[in-house]
């Protein structure tokens, strides 16, 4: 059984091909530029060539791609966009037009001059990934599932803060199912408000096996919980310090199942917090005193605390478990909480992929037990890939 997992971030897309016949440490993996970084380069090349561009395709991750679009506009070069692609820049299309972007329908886009360079927006390109593996003699024709993670704010109504909107969504998911896997969906079950998750599903029309999509931060935290040191701690806080967002989950033990027993969470913007501020919020999450308004009024997303009983942070070699591409924020001598940098199956970069595997096991019970055995280290442990028929 093979499962392709793709964790789409701001800087990289991290890809892991799970094969139940071999131990996870021997699985094939790729760390590649993220789709938004790839689009950024295409737009910058168009800017250097001084040509107009057409943004088409799906809603995708912004950041670098959106900054490149604005630079292109500021340089005086025209930008056209179809509605779905334009929502990458802002869910409010009137705001997109106010930036100076010309919105066009799909039919209108076909009639633009040949001098307009089309740039495809998508977070997931199955054909490209398949071709990369094929170049190294690895076929993806026999997959049992595909799992993809992206960060999705959700499409907030014009009168509602997108930060508050996302946190209301987090609360709703955790109230329905107190598990990190509650943020994973089959393609047909994606909530309508989660437009980027839906856009990923739309980009995966060439996938003919079960498609699962998930939020990146819960996937990373769930994956980090499989680090043996992290798994041994019954009560813990795992913080995922991402390029744009930092989420910290307070986890208790619920039937000894990883990723369940969520007692609290907060989410902030990585670029707007310092180490002392992060530690202050982690301590408050641990002692049960953290308030939603404290984070929200600090320009973060917010906080949810379901268990206000104090949870000890230390008592052994570390206080808080850290993962994520910006985890270097915690590698400072001024830290007052002792960090443990999680390395599930020896690789922090694909923690999200391991989290998606765990969520896939929950959603696909017919193959779930085999996945769970692998994640416990009992799947094909010790079997090298060259011994697999």
């Amino acid at each position: 059984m093979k499962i392709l997992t793709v964790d789409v971030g701001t800087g990289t897309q991290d890809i892991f091909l799970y094969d139940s016949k071999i131990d996870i440490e021997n699985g094939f993996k790729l760390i590649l530029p993220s789709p938004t970084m790839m689009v950024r380069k295409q737009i910058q090349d168009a800017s250097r060539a001084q040509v107009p561009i057409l943004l088409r395709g799906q809603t995708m991750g912004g950041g670098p791609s959106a900054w490149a679009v604005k630079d292109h506009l500021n340089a005086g070069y025209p930008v056209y966009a179809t509605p779905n692609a334009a929502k990458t820049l802002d869910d409010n299309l009137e705001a997109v037009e106010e930036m100076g972007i010309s919105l066009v329908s799909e039919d209108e886009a076909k009639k633009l001059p040949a001098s307009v360079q089309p740039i495809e927006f998508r977070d997931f390109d199955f054909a490209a990934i398949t071709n990369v593996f094929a170049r190294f003699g690895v076929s993806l024709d026999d997959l049992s599932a595909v799992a993809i993670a992206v960060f999705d704010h959700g499409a907030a109504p014009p009168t509602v803060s997108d930060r508050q909107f996302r946190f209301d969504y987090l609360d709703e998911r955790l109230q329905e199912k107190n598990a990190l896997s509650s943020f994973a969906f089959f393609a047909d079950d994606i909530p309508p408000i989660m437009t980027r998750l839906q856009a990923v599903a739309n980009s995966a029309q060439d996938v003919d096996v079960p498609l699962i999509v998930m939020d990146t931060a819960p996937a990373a935290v769930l994956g980090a919980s499989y680090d043996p040191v992290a798994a041994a701690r019954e009560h813990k806080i795992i913080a995922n310090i991402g390029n744009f967002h930092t989420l910290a989950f307070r986890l208790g033990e619920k039937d000894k199942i990883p990723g369940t027993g969520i007692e609290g969470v907060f989410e902030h913007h990585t670029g707007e917090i310092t180490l002392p501020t992060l530690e202050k919020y982690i301590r408050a999450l641990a002692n049960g005193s953290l308030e939603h308004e404290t984070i929200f009024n600090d320009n973060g997303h917010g906080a949810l605390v379901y268990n206000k009983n104090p949870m000890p942070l230390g008592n052994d070699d570390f206080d808080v478990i850290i993962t994520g591409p910006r985890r270097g924020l915690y590698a400072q001598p001024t830290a007052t909480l002792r960090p443990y940098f999680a390395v599930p199956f020896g690789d922090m970069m694909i923690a999200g992929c391991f989290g998606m595997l765990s969520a896939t096991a929950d959603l696909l019970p017919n193959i779930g037990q085999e996945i769970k055995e692998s994640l416990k280290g009992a799947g094909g442990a010790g079997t090298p890939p060259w011994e697999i028929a």
Side-chain angles (χ1 to χ4, degrees), residues 53-316:
I53 58 175
L54 165 66
L55 315 178
R56 67 183 185 188
Q58 303 292 332
T59 305
M60 67 176 294
S65 61
W67 302 331
V69 169
K70 292 175 183 177
D71 289 342
H72 196 78
L73 286 167
N74 290 337
Y77 309 127
V79 176
Y80 303 90
T82 58
N84 284 340
K87 289 181 180 180
T88 299
L89 306 171
D90 199 303
D91 288 320
N92 183 351
L93 292 180
E94 291 183 2
V96 173
E97 289 182 304
E98 290 172 0
M99 296 176 190
I101 295 173
S102 301
L103 294 181
V104 294
S105 67
E106 294 291 344
D107 287 339
E108 290 170 331
K110 296 175 183 177
K111 299 174 184 177
L112 290 172
S115 59
V116 178
Q117 179 178 330
I119 295 177
E120 191 76 18
F121 273 26
R122 59 181 352 185
D123 273 322
F124 176 67
D125 190 338
F126 184 58
I129 294 171
T130 298
N131 289 339
V132 171
F133 275 106
R135 292 284 296 271
F136 290 87
V138 179
S139 172
L140 299 186
D141 291 340
D142 53 348
L143 295 174
S144 297
V146 172
I148 310 162
V150 297
F151 183 93
D152 193 348
H153 273 94
T159 58
V160 178
S161 160
D162 62 349
R163 293 182 292 133
Q164 183 64 54
F165 188 78
R166 173 168 163 82
F167 232 68
D168 289 343
Y169 163 76
L170 296 184
D171 190 26
E172 177 185 327
R173 295 306 306 159
L174 292 176
Q175 293 286 358
E176 181 173 321
K177 178 186 176 184
N178 186 256
L180 292 166
S181 62
S182 67
F183 298 102
F185 306 93
F186 287 117
D188 291 340
D189 298 331
I190 299 169
I193 60 172
M194 306 312 289
T195 52
R196 189 177 175 198
L197 292 180
Q198 186 58 61
V200 168
N202 294 340
S203 296
Q205 297 299 314
D206 48 350
V207 173
D208 59 2
V209 294
L211 177 69
I212 293 166
V213 294
M214 188 174 184
D215 192 282
T216 50
V221 170
L222 179 52
S225 71
Y226 283 92
D227 175 284
V229 175
R233 173 75 70 86
E234 288 192 1
H235 301 277
K236 57 213 170 202
I237 288 178
I238 303 180
N240 179 65
I241 306 178
N243 284 309
F244 276 4
H245 296 88
T246 291
L247 279 89
F249 281 88
R250 171 176 160 178
L251 304 175
E253 287 294 322
K254 186 177 180 181
D255 302 324
K256 302 293 183 180
I257 300 173
T260 60
I262 299 168
E263 300 179 346
V265 57
F266 73 80
E267 181 174 35
H268 211 303
H269 296 108
T270 304
E272 298 188 20
I273 55 173
T274 61
L275 178 58
T277 300
L278 176 59
E279 292 197 317
K280 177 179 69 175
Y281 293 148
I282 289 173
R283 291 182 187 277
L285 180 64
N287 66 34
S289 66
L290 187 62
E291 300 289 341
H292 170 73
E293 291 75 16
T294 301
I295 303 292
F296 189 83
N297 293 338
D298 192 34
N299 204 34
H301 282 264
L304 299 166
V305 178
Y306 301 113
N307 185 348
K308 292 186 177 295
N309 294 322
M311 182 194 81
L313 280 173
N315 300 334
D316 50 20

Side-chain angles (χ1 to χ4, degrees), residues 233 314-319 338-340:
R233 173 75 70 86
N315 300 334
D316 50 20
D317 295 332
F318 64 92
D319 301 308
R338 298 165 300 166
Y340 172 72

